[in-house]
Amino acid sequence: MSEQRNVPCGLCRYQHKRHDLSCEFGQYFPINRLREIESASKFFGMANLLRLMRGAEPSQRQVMANSILREAQMWANDPIHGALGHILTLSSHIKSVGRELKLVNAMLAHCSHQATPQIATTVQDNLVASSSNPAQSSTVASQEKEGAAEEKDAEVKRKNGKRKH
């Protein structure tokens, strides 16, 4: 564990301080996020950053550190509006996607109402097309012939049965 403590945290590295066991925020600001820590220090100031971290409850410090670094990154990306600009962009995107969803649902409802009569027509068209196909029509024709022959046999048996009585 002492080997891990010898590697300076992002805050100690940024402040050019020696990292030791007394560093209370080292675990929340790892060295691999040094660029974000620099942005946070630039936009909020190191004193304010440390004051915010000390004001947070120990169970909430990781959330606070992530929030500070994220907001600093938003300010770096949009120096005029910061996080508000990001929120407004996301809000407008959500509204446009909502409008698009309504349009797609309306088109779907319209298509489903028109598709119901077309399904019956499509089934009939498929039957006609399959009967025009020679391979399928011979199968259908032979089945029809067999059915007609069976009906004829049944009719002959009925007539013969009536004559006997």
Side-chain angles (χ1 to χ4, degrees), residues 2-53:
S2 62
E3 291 176 22
Q4 293 176 348
R5 293 303 233 168
N6 289 336
V7 176
C9 70
L11 287 179
C12 292
R13 178 84 176 257
Y14 182 74
Q15 294 175 339
H16 303 290
K17 291 171 51 177
R18 182 180 169 102
H19 183 79
D20 56 8
L21 295 175
S22 65
C23 182
E24 60 184 317
F25 302 123
Q27 60 186 343
Y28 308 115
F29 298 100
I31 191 71
N32 62 349
R33 297 183 81 178
L34 187 60
R35 183 172 288 161
E36 294 169 299
I37 294 167
E38 290 172 355
S39 292
S41 178
K42 177 183 173 187
F43 289 107
F44 300 117
M46 187 55 72
N48 287 334
L49 192 144
L50 294 173
R51 184 178 47 82
L52 286 170
M53 288 299 292

Side-chain angles (χ1 to χ4, degrees), residues 141-159:
S142 64
Q143 289 175 350
E144 289 176 357
K145 285 180 185 176
E146 289 175 12
E150 289 174 4
E151 286 180 28
K152 198 173 194 180
D153 288 341
E155 188 177 326
V156 169
K157 287 179 183 177
R158 273 183 280 174
K159 286 182 183 177

Side-chain angles (χ1 to χ4, degrees), residues 109-156:
H110 179 71
C111 290
S112 68
H113 288 302
Q114 286 186 344
T116 306
Q118 288 179 353
I119 290 172
T121 307
T122 304
V123 169
Q124 289 175 352
D125 290 344
N126 287 342
L127 289 175
V128 170
S130 67
S131 65
S132 66
N133 185 350
Q136 290 180 346
S137 63
S138 64
T139 307
V140 172
S142 64
Q143 289 175 350
E144 289 176 357
K145 285 180 185 176
E146 289 175 12
E150 289 174 4
E151 286 180 28
K152 198 173 194 180
D153 288 341
E155 188 177 326
V156 169

